[in-house]
Amino acid sequence: MTIGLEAGLYLDPAGMAGEGTWTLYEDVGDVNVAHSWNQSQRKIRKHTHERTTLGQGVLEVTFTVTYRAGDAGFEMLRDAHANKSIIAVAVMSGLIAAAGSEGWQFDAVVSDFPESQALEEDMTFDVTLKPASGSAVDPVRVEISGS
């Protein structure tokens, strides 16, 4: 069994097609990966139940970032949001190079970046990443094979 603490969120400002490198970003709390399919319903008289047809996938990654002044990961996310830039993200079940680790990798936009300044808590940002329409690469679910 794997717990969330063993999982990894990786960022790369170069994007999936770039020559950058994945950087583990650890100043995050819970990471949520929602994947679903767009759906249309078929209602045909010869069937007793309506049927569902699945369309395109819908992928979204959300997490909370604890603000740390000068933190490179935070600054990358902040700047990508402000500039509408594409960054690469990998949400993995373990270390990105470890055999058996699996997860989603895709080019993303930072669609939401709301700030929370609770009186007696850390200042946080609730980040939402979604696949970027300007990417030439589709999101992919990967599993790292052994060497």
Side-chain angles (χ1 to χ4, degrees):
M1 176 172 24
T2 301
I3 62 172
L5 187 60
E6 298 166 344
L9 173 70
Y10 292 84
L11 303 173
D12 185 347
M16 294 286 289
E19 294 295 323
T21 56
W22 292 114
T23 302
L24 180 62
Y25 188 53
E26 297 181 291
D27 255 339
V28 298
D30 294 340
V31 176
N32 299 292
V33 183
H35 186 270
S36 61
W37 298 102
N38 286 326
Q39 303 173 26
S40 65
Q41 304 304 316
R42 284 200 172 153
K43 299 176 184 179
I44 304 172
R45 290 182 181 170
K46 72 178 183 177
H47 298 298
T48 58
H49 292 82
E50 65 181 44
R51 309 287 175 98
T52 301
T53 301
L54 299 180
Q56 291 181 307
V58 179
L59 179 60
E60 177 178 275
V61 174
T62 59
F63 54 92
T64 301
V65 172
T66 301
Y67 174 73
R68 302 279 183 252
D71 178 72
F74 171 81
E75 290 176 355
M76 179 194 320
L77 292 164
R78 179 201 62 205
D79 294 348
H81 176 69
N83 300 321
K84 300 180 183 177
S85 303
I86 295 174
I87 61 171
V89 61
V91 185
M92 305 298 292
S93 62
L95 297 176
I96 200 163
S101 184
E102 63 179 292
W104 287 98
Q105 296 180 4
F106 61 99
D107 279 335
V109 291
V110 181
S111 64
D112 298 290
F113 201 68
E115 181 176 342
S116 175
Q117 296 183 358
L119 185 60
E120 294 180 351
E121 303 290 331
D122 288 333
M123 191 165 88
T124 60
F125 290 78
D126 293 323
V127 180
T128 301
L129 302 176
K130 294 183 178 181
S133 66
S135 175
V137 182
D138 278 337
V140 61
R141 180 120 182 130
V142 299
E143 182 173 349
I144 307 303
S145 59
S147 48

